[in-house]
């Protein structure tokens, strides 16, 4: 089968590899659509970061090269012995989070030693993938598989809202209007935010943010974000989400949050940054972070999408073939900041 393998930074190759075989407790999925995530882009530009480096992944034992792709959907091709409640032909999306299952608190386990399908083991940038039964989440027959590939980034945003301890009718600022930033707009709106202020440098992304429900959108290259927030909220907003991953937006996030408010870091910082904790000590602003999601959040995301409570589909800006993933995927996302979510078409089933 055809697959996109990560070897090293700037070295992703489309190759023919052996089709994976299903085993006991595992499910073989024919991949329909797979999204290129910011984490994938970070790996492409500066990896290995979350992919195995000099040693095999501690959970999966997998070494490089690795088939990337952790935001994907498809149709069950085959089920292994002992798998219950799943059948060939079922539409599914995949919760890619993996742990050692050593702790009853999933996120405790995940933060201690976790990984993702598509980063710590072979993932969805391929014709077929084999994953554990527990990582399969069924979709309704009427649910679009294209939308199914957006469940994972949307779940990231919903978990970030939970980590922020946001309450109904609070004010929110979001720094960064990429795919996760847009999903955070959706999630904040669903959680009852009264105002959602979004900052970005791209006018096209800011237009998307409006479409997703932002009440204010500001080009931070033309107007000072901190001053803008304080025009409406002299003490700062209740909750701020840093989804850009650059030093200046972390500082601005803290400066635009009220005393005892919360800044939640959702982005991946590719490089170390200079940070003075006195920014927190003297303001009372609290700092949290979020990576991944609890299994119940992932399943809740599917339900919210299927019920129409949230619709992440407008984040899709491009659809490409697997053969084009480097030139029209990674390279375009590196250079063109108007892009949001690029989906890779595998089987292309709807």
């Amino acid at each position: 089968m055809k697959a996109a393998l990560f070897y090293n930074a700037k070295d992703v190759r489309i190759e023919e590899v052996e089709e994976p075989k299903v085993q006991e407790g595992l499910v073989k999925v024919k991949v329909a659509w797979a999204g290129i995530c910011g984490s994938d882009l970070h790996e492409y530009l500066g990896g290995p970061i979350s992919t195995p480096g000099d040693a095999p992944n501690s959970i999966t034992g997998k070494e490089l090269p690795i088939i990337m792709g952790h935001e994907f959907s498809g149709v069950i091709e085959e089920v292994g012995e002992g798998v219950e409640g799943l059948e060939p032909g079922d539409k599914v999306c995949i919760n890619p989070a993996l742990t050692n299952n050593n702790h009853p608190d999933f996120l405790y386990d995940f933060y201690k030693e976790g990984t993702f399908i598509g980063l710590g083991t072979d993932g969805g940038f391929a014709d077929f993938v084999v994953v554990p039964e527990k990582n399969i989440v069924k979709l309704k027959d009427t649910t679009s598989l294209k939308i199914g590939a957006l469940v994972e980034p949307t779940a990231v945003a919903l978990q970030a809202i939970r980590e922020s301890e946001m309450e109904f009718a609070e004010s929110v600022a979001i720094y960064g209007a990429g795919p996760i930033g847009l999903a955070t707009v959706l999630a904040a709106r669903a959680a009852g935010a009264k105002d959602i202020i979004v900052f970005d440098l791209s006018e096209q992304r800011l237009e998307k943010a409006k479409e997703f429900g932002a009440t204010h959108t500001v080009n931070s290259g033309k107007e000072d974000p901190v001053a803008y927030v304080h025009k409406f909220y002299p003490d700062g907003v209740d909750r701020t989400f840093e989804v850009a991953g650059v030093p200046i937006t972390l500082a601005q996030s803290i400066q635009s949050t009220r005393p005892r408010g919360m800044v939640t870091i959702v982005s991946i910082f590719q490089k170390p940054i200079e940070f003075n904790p006195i920014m927190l000590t003297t303001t009372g602003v609290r700092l949290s972070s979020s990576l991944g999601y609890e299994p119940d959040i992932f399943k809740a995301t599917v339900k919210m999408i299927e019920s129409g409570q949230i619709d992440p589909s407008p984040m899709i800006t491009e659809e490409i073939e697997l053969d084009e993933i480097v030139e029209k995927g990674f390279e375009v996302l590196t250079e063109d900041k108007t892009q949001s979510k690029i989906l890779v078409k595998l089987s292309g089933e709807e």
Side-chain angles (χ1 to χ4, degrees), residues 66-224:
I66 201 164
I67 300 172
M68 298 181 78
H70 62 275
E71 303 176 355
F72 61 101
S73 63
V75 176
I76 292 180
E77 181 82 2
E78 185 182 355
V79 298
E81 185 180 344
V83 173
E84 298 180 355
L86 298 172
E87 298 178 356
D90 285 345
K91 284 184 172 184
V92 298
C93 61
I94 285 73
N95 176 343
L98 297 172
T99 73
N100 276 323
N101 301 309
N102 290 330
H103 196 280
D105 181 338
F106 179 85
L107 283 181
Y108 181 100
D109 218 19
F110 180 78
Y111 282 121
K112 185 177 180 182
E113 194 174 30
T115 190
F116 290 97
I117 295 166
L119 290 170
T121 190
D122 288 335
F125 290 152
D127 294 327
F128 295 96
V129 63
V130 168
V131 302
E133 175 187 2
K134 64 182 177 61
N135 292 86
I136 296 283
V137 179
K138 284 181 68 171
L139 301 171
K140 292 180 179 178
D141 291 339
T142 54
T143 300
S144 161
L145 286 169
K146 198 178 291 186
I147 303 305
L150 302 179
V151 170
E152 198 275 348
T154 309
V156 169
L158 287 171
Q159 185 68 49
I161 294 293
R162 178 177 283 186
E163 298 299 323
S164 77
E165 301 176 6
M166 178 185 156
E167 297 183 6
F168 185 79
E170 287 194 323
S171 54
V172 167
I174 298 170
Y175 284 83
I180 300 300
L182 294 175
T184 305
V185 175
L186 279 183
R189 200 177 87 187
K194 65 179 178 182
D195 273 322
I196 304 172
I197 307 170
V198 179
F199 300 101
D200 201 276
L201 295 171
S202 165
E203 295 292 349
Q204 290 89 343
R205 285 184 170 185
L206 290 171
E207 283 300 316
K208 284 279 185 188
K210 285 182 187 176
E211 191 176 344
F212 274 68
T215 56
H216 303 69
T217 57
V218 181
N219 188 318
S220 48
K222 297 178 180 178
E223 188 161 0
D224 177 33

Side-chain angles (χ1 to χ4, degrees), residues 230-305:
H230 286 288
K231 278 196 301 187
F232 297 94
Y233 292 94
D235 293 331
V237 293
D238 298 302
R239 308 287 172 222
T240 305
F241 297 87
E242 198 293 310
V243 205
V246 291
I248 191 170
T249 54
L250 177 57
Q252 290 169 338
S253 296
I254 295 168
Q255 291 162 2
S256 55
T257 305
R258 66 164 172 81
R260 302 296 294 149
M262 181 84 80
V263 173
T264 302
I265 300 173
V266 193
S267 59
I268 302 294
F269 282 78
Q270 194 169 316
K271 298 177 181 178
I273 67 170
E274 185 176 320
F275 172 68
N276 189 345
I278 199 70
M279 295 179 70
L280 302 175
T281 307
T282 58
T283 62
V285 172
R286 295 173 294 157
L287 190 64
S288 67
S289 60
S290 187
L291 176 70
Y293 27 73
E294 295 162 287
D296 70 309
I297 286 286
F298 196 95
K299 291 175 182 176
T301 304
V302 171
K303 288 187 176 181
M304 292 176 76
I305 290 173

